[in-house]
Each structure stands twice: as structure tokens, then as C-alpha cells.
Amino acid sequence: MTRPQPEEEGRPTHASGRPASFDDIVAGWVAEGTVPRWPDPPAARQAAAEQPVDPPPAPSVCPPYDMLAGQDHFVPPDPPPLPRMSFAAMAVLILVSAGIVLLAVHDTLRLDSAVCLPLGLVLISTGLGWLLLRCWPARTKPDAEGPDDGAIV
């Protein structure tokens, strides 16, 4: 007798040791009577079609339920006002905007592109450079206690 292949382990086999075919397996189920018949025979379909179908029950009408009835509604507080823009931030915004305008619409303004291109790039670079330099931490004067001002968070 030969050893079954790994993919054949657990499958039903004949007495001869070879795997049972699909038809043999189905024939065994039919003999046991555990296999449903599909599709339904025409007589069963016709009998099912002749049976009266009950109409679905009418939905019950309930008054709408308001979960918040009798309770106060939450009213959020007014948002805080927007912070005022500093002079340096306003200057950066003006410089970058002017540079973009010079680069984008120099023909509409009837200006020479040989002048507008470098001037627009210089204005944008100056505005962005000023913005980056403002991000640099300011140096503080050393106190009488010493140059260490503690942790900077």
C-alpha cells in the first residue's frame, strides 16, 4: 500500500487505497439521504407559488421622540478674537505679496521683465528671510546670577 500524498491526507479513500472521486462521495451522500436537491423540482416551485403570501404588517405609528425635550440646549461660548498681527508679520506679508505680484503680472503693469524678475525674487527672498530670522530665539542678557537661564522649552 502506498502512502497518501500530503494533499490527499484526510480525504475518503476506497478499500484499494486510492482517493475516492467526487462522484463516489456525492453518491454516498445521496444514498444516506443528506444531500438537498437543487434546484427545487418544478412541482415544489409550483406548490410554493400557489400558497398565499401574508401581507407585511403595517408599521406602527409612534409620535416622534425628542431626547432633548425639557432640557436646555448647549450653546457654545463665543470664540476668542483673532490675535493682532505684528508689524514684522505684516511687513513680511507685504513683501512676499509684492514680489509675487511683480512676478505674475509684470506684463499687465507694463513693466520690463528684466527689472521685475530680479526685483520680485529679491522681495520674496527678503520677506521669507525676515520670517525665518524672526524664528531664531532671541539672546537674553546674562543675569547677575550667571549666564545660565535654565531650561528653554
Side-chain angles (χ1 to χ4, degrees), residues 2-87:
T2 61
R3 291 184 62 189
Q5 297 296 326
E7 64 269 1
E8 295 176 353
E9 288 183 19
R11 291 187 182 175
T13 58
H14 285 293
S16 65
R18 70 173 178 84
S21 68
F22 180 76
D23 294 332
D24 293 340
I25 295 171
V26 173
W29 284 348
V30 170
E32 293 174 4
T34 58
V35 178
R37 295 194 46 123
W38 185 84
D40 292 335
R45 272 188 256 145
Q46 185 178 9
E50 292 174 358
Q51 292 178 353
V53 178
D54 294 334
S60 62
V61 179
C62 296
Y65 179 70
D66 187 11
M67 290 183 4
L68 300 176
Q71 296 180 7
D72 293 332
H73 293 283
F74 174 73
V75 178
D78 291 334
L82 292 174
R84 294 193 58 149
M85 194 177 288
S86 68
F87 170 74

Side-chain angles (χ1 to χ4, degrees), residues 95-101 103 119-129:
L95 284 172
V96 171
S97 299
I100 290 174
V101 167
L103 290 177
L119 183 60
L121 291 175
V122 165
L123 287 174
I124 292 173
S125 301
T126 303
L128 293 177

Side-chain angles (χ1 to χ4, degrees), residues 100-143:
I100 290 174
V101 167
L102 279 177
L103 290 177
V105 293
H106 62 85
D107 289 337
T108 307
L109 298 175
R110 296 185 184 158
L111 297 172
D112 187 22
S113 64
V115 173
C116 287
L117 180 65
L119 183 60
L121 291 175
V122 165
L123 287 174
I124 292 173
S125 301
T126 303
L128 293 177
W130 192 0
L131 187 66
L132 289 175
L133 286 176
R134 288 193 62 223
C135 293
W136 205 284
R139 288 194 170 167
T140 57
K141 294 181 181 179
D143 293 331

